[in-house]
Amino acid sequence: MLYKKISGLLIFSLCITANAQVGINTTTPTRTLDVNGDLRVRLLEDKAADPLYDKVLVKDANGNIDYWTRQDVMDAMETLYVVNKKFTASKTGPDPTTIVPCGKFEFRYNTPVMPQLRLVTAPTANLTVYYNRIRKKDGTTSSFDATNRSFKSNQSVNLTTANAWVDIGSDAVAFNNNTLDEYYISYPGDNNIYRVSFVTRNAGGGNVNYTMVCEKF
């Protein structure tokens, strides 16, 4: 029995430095516990629903283990996956209280009919957002006419720390019923592109179909 205990201790090399750093299979530990080898944990519990478990272990190329918070992980993943949000309703007029969140932005129709955006989180400093817009319009019939198309490039809106709603469709050609606006929007320093469509179509009986679609790539 004594032989087994001694041989078990000799299987790995244990080093304790003057800085109270413990090394297993290494004589030069660089952290409180430095393991040069594999790690096995036999029993773990599912804590997905427990808000106190908010940290996810991460490792760098040198094997250093630290953590990200759950929100850190969600924020990082947001830049990787495609977001698709849609709203449509038939009403006599636009409803500014109906908001479509999409990535860093929120979108809505304002009264009178006008596409607007703002940020989900107010910026800490004023910034400029650039976009391109394709518009197809026919305010008198139920179809879009090829002669009523326009393209606007290198457009911009200024977003302030007050995070107020700003128009993104106002120009010489007013946004109205039977109009399709397609926007390509980028956030400063972000790798994502937002494709946002605002569509209004006559629904009859004095109603209009208001649709907003946002795709984040």
Side-chain angles (χ1 to χ4, degrees):
M1 180 65 69
L2 180 60
Y3 170 77
K4 290 183 178 180
K5 289 183 178 179
I6 294 175
S7 62
L9 290 174
L10 294 176
I11 291 176
F12 64 89
S13 171
L14 179 66
C15 174
I16 303 177
T17 69
N19 296 325
Q21 293 175 321
V22 177
I24 298 178
N25 284 343
T26 176
T27 58
T28 56
T30 60
R31 305 195 77 167
T32 304
L33 177 62
D34 191 335
V35 180
N36 181 21
D38 298 332
L39 175 66
R40 181 179 183 183
V41 179
R42 293 179 179 268
L43 180 62
L44 294 174
E45 295 183 21
D46 185 353
K47 296 294 184 179
D50 190 336
L52 296 179
Y53 285 76
D54 186 47
K55 295 178 174 60
V56 179
L57 294 182
V58 293
K59 181 183 77 69
D60 69 8
N62 295 318
N64 294 304
I65 296 177
D66 284 291
Y67 73 85
W68 285 14
T69 66
R70 184 180 303 186
Q71 189 61 50
D72 290 336
V73 175
M74 293 176 63
D75 290 344
M77 290 180 62
E78 185 178 348
T79 64
L80 301 177
Y81 61 77
V82 174
V83 172
N84 189 305
K85 298 291 184 68
K86 178 181 179 180
F87 164 82
T88 186
S90 181
K91 299 184 177 183
T92 57
D95 180 8
T97 65
T98 299
I99 298 170
V100 173
C102 185
K104 289 184 169 63
F105 295 99
E106 293 180 330
F107 301 94
R108 73 173 186 179
Y109 284 104
N110 193 24
T111 304
V113 186
M114 182 60 64
Q116 290 188 321
L117 69 76
R118 70 177 181 184
L119 297 176
V120 172
T121 303
T124 57
N126 296 346
L127 57 86
T128 301
V129 169
Y130 291 90
Y131 65 89
N132 294 336
R133 190 205 69 201
I134 301 172
R135 171 170 288 177
K136 301 176 183 179
K137 179 179 174 61
D138 194 326
T140 58
T141 68
S142 297
S143 63
F144 297 121
D145 190 334
T147 61
N148 286 330
R149 295 180 180 177
S150 62
F151 175 74
K152 294 277 188 177
S153 63
N154 201 32
Q155 302 296 292
S156 65
V157 291
N158 295 318
L159 303 179
T160 69
T161 55
N163 204 28
W165 289 97
V166 295
D167 295 343
I168 54 173
S170 57
D171 56 25
V173 183
F175 191 95
N176 209 325
N177 295 345
N178 293 322
T179 301
L180 165 62
D181 271 7
E182 188 171 277
Y183 297 87
Y184 293 85
I185 305 171
S186 61
Y187 183 88
D190 201 342
N191 293 326
N192 298 120
I193 293 293
Y194 296 80
R195 180 170 63 192
V196 188
S197 298
F198 289 83
V199 186
T200 59
R201 299 297 297 267
N202 288 330
N207 288 331
V208 175
N209 288 331
Y210 295 95
T211 301
M212 291 180 282
V213 179
C214 176
E215 300 167 282
K216 180 180 73 69
F217 302 94

